[in-house]
Amino acid sequence: MTLFHFFNCAILTFGPHAVYYSATPLSEYDTLGTSVKAALVYLGTALVKLVCLATFLKVSENDSFDPYQELLHALIGFIDVAGLYFALTQLTHRNISQNHKFQAVGLGWAFADSVLHRLAPLWVGSRGLEFTWDYILQGLEANANLVFSISLAALGSLMWLRKNKPKTLIPIIYACAGIVATMPSITSYLRRGLGWHFPKVVGFELFTSLMMAFISLQLFSACQRPSS
Amino acid sequence: MSSKNPRERQMLESIYSMIALVFILVTCVDLCDAATVVDVYRLIQYDISGVPFGSRFATLNHHAGSLHFAPGADLSRTVLVIPVRELNITFVKEYISQRKPLGGLLFLLPQMFNFGNREAATEGKYQIREKELMKTVLAELERLLIHANIPYPVYFAFEDDDIDAVLADVKRSDVSGQPATATTGGYKLVVSAPEPKKIVSPSITNIQGWLPGLKADGDPNQLPTIAIVASYDTFGTAPLHVLFSLLYSNPKTRGRYNLLFGLTSGGPYNYNGTHKWLRSFDQRQRESIDYAICLNSIGSWDNELWIHVSKPPENAFIKQIFEGFSTVAEELGFEVGLKHKKINISNPRVAWEHEQFSKLRVTAATLSELSAAPELLESTGGLSDSRHFINETAIVRSIKLVAESIARHIYGRQGKNIQIFADNTSLAVNSPYIRSWLDLLSKTPRVAPFLSKNDPFVTALKKELEDHTREVNVHHEVLDGMFTLYDSTKAKLNIYQVASVTFDLLLLLVLGSYLIILFTFLVITTRGLDDLISLFRRPPSRKVKTA
């Protein structure tokens, strides 16, 4: 019975990635290689972040919100951005359009993130007899993360891969990218500083992710108009 | 390319270390996922000459239910959680005697019976009358359970906040008749205990202490001996002791008698331990025992004690003993009665400890507050015997009685009005000493077969005897006879809050539809509606083309 629960939570956490890949033209153009490469880059980035965190951050005994530590956390979070930059620009991809490139990279990134952060707790925890809502909420969080990653990849590709952007939109692009990049810090502030419970935080994440996706879609199509 | 190789190697190494880190993180994830873990104690399981009694199973894996279940409900996969305070003894009797199928029973005892938890136990929350009521209910319950053959596990636990909350939840959902959902109760009780096995050759330990008397010019063994015996074990838990105070009050002034203190085991099992202990003496020693006093249940009497003998009261020895005791008793302000019970040789049941002595022709008597011999396994100390029901002053008086009478006999001062162990002297009975030993005794469960040879309790007794007597011997025997006992008495109960099957199925349905909607949404937005329709129409269109 509880293996059933594990199965449910697993398809909630990892299903959307597979669905996204098969539903969009990504599957037609066979961009799996790009996604895999992006996933590997994510793993590398995670390792670098881990090392930096271990070196610079001190372990706090209580679960409160320490601004200095969080600032450091956010700075280290920008390593994520650097990793994404690397994945988008430096890796050699097969000739795929920009449109699909950022999607593939975002997808691979989000999938690696889900696997690394959510698979182990899911496997160990949700097979027990005791029932908690945690794993379902975690799955929803993974969904939000997927949307965030794709938006960030879109904005990233706008920033670094597109040369002719309308001047007025550039600051908006950078601002949105900044918000999405610092999302982890914002959620941890909400959880620890304001004391929000997990369901509330997940709801907030889902909402913001949809907002961000919408905004980045608009920006992307706005930037696409001159070239088309 | 060559410049990349060391970089690649570095990356591989870092990947390995990261994988190792991930594994470490995984192991740190908390693997205990029960809502509550509680210590539970199993009802004892035993055989008498092959006839099984007690609770025959140990593992438990069923849903929790309360007494408010719908009548006619199938309870064969439910564990009934019954707090003893709300116990309806006829209900339990009915269930057990009619052998109705049940998943298990869990009785919740009030904290005041918790011998390990002194703070809760000494709470004055309960009135004396409630305590007495509880005691009778518990005694009846215990008697019922011990003499029945129960084909499912029966466990006892102490009430605490977690279990109370769980029980309240279960009651609520039972009363409303709702099936358990994910968030509103639906508890599974799991005890994973090994299958109970017979305890092969359970050991019982007899401890004896020897205070030699002042020998004139010969072997101290020629001096007559007085033996004071009590059994320290129980078939449940019980406090009985006085011996140590006697030890304490017998200083170096030795009389012309040897004193032998025996702590025997196997009391409930027809005084098997006493039997073996006596057999271990040789004939001469046994003959030198002038008389033996056995002590049984002297903890909670008010103003009457009984001396039970098996030799007829007209016997000179008996008269002497009885007179000695009653004189002292009179001085101390209470009565001592004499009861005579003949030994029935054909009956294997041994009613009093002194009967074992009498069978070997040693004069013996038992001092007890009970006026009639208890039935088999009755009054051998069960759950209801606890520290609260022991009257300290009663014990002090008993001690004084025994000590004074024996001392007068030893020093030949019978009938004279002299108090050898007077109060407020250095030989007085030491109350705090008694109190501390009573506390220890009420805290340790002392069922004999479950006490190993080197149990700390046994060693504590031995050490205490060593401190106050000359020679201490410890005999380990094997409990034989009609009793066979099974192990697996203490276990941990895990209480899980579980979601029902329908919840999981519902969740699957919801997730399935979510993924399908996501899929169609993405196909429509990225490839267009035509593509979605073409997904379902591709095979026919191909056939048309080839044709």
Side-chain angles (χ1 to χ4, degrees):
Chain A
M1 190 44 55
T2 50
L3 216 55
F4 196 179
H5 190 66
F6 166 74
F7 176 71
N8 278 343
C9 295
I11 60 175
L12 178 61
T13 316
F14 303 114
H17 301 87
V19 164
Y20 192 90
Y21 184 78
S22 53
T24 56
L26 288 181
S27 53
E28 283 179 21
Y29 291 101
D30 195 17
T31 52
L32 194 62
T34 318
S35 297
V36 170
K37 281 188 209 162
L40 290 174
V41 172
Y42 178 82
L43 287 180
T45 321
L47 183 66
V48 172
K49 266 175 48 178
L50 210 64
V51 170
C52 288
L53 280 174
T55 322
F56 295 117
L57 236 55
K58 56 181 190 293
V59 180
S60 66
E61 291 81 35
N62 50 355
D63 209 19
S64 65
F65 185 75
D66 185 1
Y68 179 63
Q69 297 295 323
E70 292 300 324
L71 195 64
L72 223 53
H73 226 105
L75 283 177
I76 291 177
F78 277 105
I79 296 178
D80 257 340
V81 181
L84 206 58
Y85 170 76
F86 179 77
L88 278 172
T89 56
Q90 303 295 2
L91 291 181
T92 54
H93 307 283
R94 284 180 21 208
N95 219 353
I96 43 180
S97 74
Q98 281 206 358
N99 208 348
H100 298 143
K101 192 198 262 190
F102 81 83
Q103 285 182 45
V105 168
L107 189 66
W109 195 264
F111 187 72
D113 179 81
S114 285
V115 166
L116 199 62
H117 289 146
R118 293 183 191 94
L119 183 62
L122 199 61
W123 176 249
V124 174
S126 70
R127 282 183 309 136
L129 274 176
E130 180 81 9
F131 175 79
T132 51
W133 288 99
D134 279 347
Y135 300 108
I136 297 178
L137 291 172
Q138 212 180 43
L140 292 173
E141 198 182 14
N143 279 326
N145 203 10
L146 172 64
V147 181
F148 272 136
S149 303
I150 294 184
S151 327
L152 190 59
L155 294 169
S157 81
L158 278 184
M159 287 194 289
W160 302 308
L161 296 179
R162 192 171 288 273
K163 302 304 173 198
N164 45 348
K165 299 184 275 270
K167 291 287 183 271
T168 48
L169 291 178
I170 292 179
I172 305 179
I173 294 173
Y174 278 97
C176 290
I179 293 175
V180 178
T182 52
M183 215 48 203
S185 305
I186 296 178
T187 45
S188 87
Y189 169 68
L190 288 175
R191 200 175 312 189
R192 297 205 212 141
L194 294 182
W196 281 19
H197 290 302
F198 198 31
K200 221 169 163 186
V201 173
V202 171
F204 172 76
E205 278 182 8
L206 284 171
F207 176 68
T208 351
S209 63
L210 290 174
M211 290 275 301
M212 283 280 121
F214 181 69
I215 293 174
S216 28
L217 186 69
Q218 296 300 335
L219 286 172
F220 202 82
S221 47
C223 291
Q224 213 159 351
R225 253 180 257 126
S227 58
S228 63
Chain B
M1 220 18 125
S2 56
S3 63
K4 259 195 177 182
N5 273 345
R7 229 182 90 201
E8 262 184 37
R9 232 180 289 131
Q10 253 183 2
M11 243 188 91
L12 277 173
E13 272 173 24
S14 9
I15 288 182
Y16 286 145
S17 47
M18 207 173 76
I19 292 177
L21 201 72
V22 167
F23 274 120
I24 294 172
L25 285 172
V26 165
T27 51
C28 292
V29 170
D30 198 357
L31 288 174
C32 166
D33 57 350
T36 326
V37 179
V38 182
D39 280 333
V40 292
Y41 308 93
R42 197 165 74 98
L43 180 69
I44 196 146
Q45 178 182 356
Y46 63 101
D47 294 342
I48 295 187
S49 313
V51 180
F53 288 101
S55 151
R56 309 305 293 181
F57 288 94
T59 43
L60 192 66
N61 190 345
H62 291 306
H63 284 273
S66 70
L67 283 174
H68 302 280
F69 59 87
D74 175 27
L75 292 176
S76 55
R77 297 194 59 94
T78 323
V79 178
L80 281 182
V81 182
I82 304 180
V84 169
R85 243 177 289 169
E86 304 167 14
L87 183 59
N88 181 357
I89 197 89
T90 44
F91 168 78
V92 179
K93 243 189 243 179
E94 190 189 307
Y95 251 80
I96 291 179
S97 55
Q98 291 180 12
R99 297 183 140 255
K100 288 191 183 165
L102 193 62
L105 274 175
L106 176 66
F107 288 104
L108 295 180
L109 304 168
Q111 274 289 347
M112 73 171 177
F113 289 112
N114 190 351
F115 32 75
N117 186 353
R118 268 223 79 201
E119 301 79 38
T122 53
E123 240 173 41
K125 232 169 37 159
Y126 301 98
Q127 310 294 340
I128 298 293
R129 197 179 162 275
E130 252 193 59
K131 277 190 196 173
E132 285 298 318
L133 208 68
M134 202 77 73
K135 181 173 181 186
T136 38
V137 165
L138 208 51
E140 214 188 315
L141 176 70
E142 208 176 350
R143 208 178 316 137
L144 171 70
L145 290 174
I146 284 180
H147 289 117
N149 180 1
I150 305 177
Y152 42 80
V154 178
Y155 279 98
F156 292 87
F158 291 105
E159 288 179 355
D160 66 1
D161 294 327
D162 296 328
I163 276 204
D164 282 341
V166 167
L167 185 61
D169 255 343
V170 172
K171 277 190 187 161
R172 219 181 305 137
S173 64
D174 269 350
V175 164
S176 59
Q178 273 173 357
T181 65
T183 43
T184 66
Y187 289 91
K188 208 157 202 215
L189 303 179
V190 178
V191 174
S192 52
E195 203 54 48
K197 296 184 295 295
K198 286 190 195 178
I199 299 183
V200 179
S201 37
S203 67
I204 49 179
T205 314
N206 295 327
I207 313 174
Q208 70 178 47
W210 180 263
L211 263 184
L214 193 61
K215 51 181 177 167
D217 267 324
D219 203 343
N221 281 340
Q222 281 173 354
L223 281 177
T225 313
I226 299 179
I228 303 164
V229 180
S231 69
Y232 68 85
D233 75 330
T234 65
F235 197 62
T237 58
L240 265 197
H241 276 254
V242 175
L243 277 183
F244 302 112
S245 310
L246 274 179
L247 286 173
Y248 185 84
S249 338
N250 251 310
K252 299 188 187 77
T253 60
R254 305 181 236 152
R256 294 182 65 88
Y257 279 82
N258 295 327
L259 279 168
L260 177 62
F261 297 95
L263 292 174
T264 57
S265 181
Y269 317 113
N270 281 341
Y271 299 106
N272 206 315
T274 323
H275 180 75
K276 294 227 157 97
W277 183 51
L278 284 174
R279 292 230 188 274
S280 70
F281 289 148
D282 60 4
Q283 187 75 1
R284 210 160 49 118
Q285 277 177 315
R286 249 183 281 151
E287 279 175 3
S288 73
I289 295 182
D290 223 20
Y291 64 90
I293 302 274
C294 310
L295 301 163
N296 179 344
S297 309
I298 47 175
S300 46
W301 54 274
D302 272 329
N303 51 14
E304 200 172 34
L305 272 185
W306 299 97
I307 297 189
H308 299 263
V309 292
S310 46
K311 290 208 171 136
E314 294 74 40
N315 189 312
F317 280 127
I318 305 286
K319 265 195 172 164
Q320 202 179 41
I321 298 172
F322 181 59
E323 266 172 33
F325 270 88
S326 44
T327 347
V328 178
E330 246 178 74
E331 286 167 25
L332 291 174
F334 54 86
E335 271 183 42
V336 172
L338 186 65
K339 282 220 156 185
H340 172 232
K341 179 182 177 301
K342 283 218 184 106
I343 301 179
N344 190 350
I345 309 243
S346 49
N347 191 352
R349 161 109 185 88
V350 177
W352 295 108
E353 203 164 358
H354 69 259
E355 292 185 9
Q356 294 279 19
F357 283 87
S358 304
K359 283 185 182 168
L360 294 170
R361 310 205 190 297
V362 178
T363 313
T366 305
L367 187 67
S368 168
E369 66 181 5
L370 304 168
S371 58
E375 290 303 310
L376 182 64
L377 300 177
E378 224 184 71
S379 177
T380 46
L383 294 164
S384 47
D385 258 331
S386 84
R387 180 75 182 78
H388 300 281
F389 304 114
I390 300 309
N391 196 345
E392 233 171 67
T393 42
I395 293 197
V396 170
R397 284 199 289 179
S398 328
I399 295 170
K400 272 185 161 178
L401 172 66
V402 182
E404 281 283 345
S405 5
I406 292 186
R408 284 188 195 182
H409 186 89
I410 292 177
Y411 298 114
R413 296 265 190 278
Q414 271 151 322
K416 300 204 189 128
N417 194 356
I418 294 183
Q419 288 209 344
I420 300 183
F421 296 107
D423 289 331
N424 300 324
T425 65
S426 61
L427 296 177
V429 177
N430 195 346
S431 280
Y433 183 76
I434 297 179
R435 216 173 298 138
S436 63
W437 269 103
L438 276 177
D439 284 342
L440 174 65
L441 287 166
S442 33
K443 278 190 205 166
T444 16
R446 286 164 294 142
V447 184
F450 302 129
L451 285 178
S452 65
K453 284 194 182 156
N454 302 320
D455 195 88
F457 183 68
V458 173
T459 30
L461 288 175
K462 178 168 170 239
K463 185 167 175 309
E464 193 61 30
L465 268 177
E466 271 173 2
D467 280 342
H468 298 284
T469 59
R470 267 307 185 74
E471 225 179 277
V472 173
N473 288 320
V474 179
H475 303 284
H476 296 290
E477 317 281 351
V478 172
L479 174 73
D480 59 20
M482 337 186 283
F483 279 83
T484 326
L485 288 148
Y486 291 77
D487 65 358
S488 178
T489 46
K490 188 170 167 182
K492 286 211 178 290
L493 172 73
N494 295 310
I495 305 182
Y496 298 105
Q497 186 167 11
V498 291
S500 56
V501 183
T502 45
F503 174 77
D504 277 325
L505 286 172
L506 208 67
L507 190 63
L508 182 65
L509 214 65
V510 166
L511 288 177
S513 42
Y514 164 67
L515 286 177
I516 290 173
I517 291 174
L518 186 67
F519 184 80
T520 44
F521 173 73
L522 286 172
V523 167
I524 290 176
T525 48
T526 53
R527 291 196 243 174
L529 194 57
D530 298 333
D531 265 344
L532 179 66
I533 299 173
S534 71
L535 271 178
F536 297 106
R537 287 225 195 123
R538 222 183 292 134
S541 62
R542 258 200 218 128
K543 277 187 191 165
V544 168
K545 271 194 179 169
T546 52

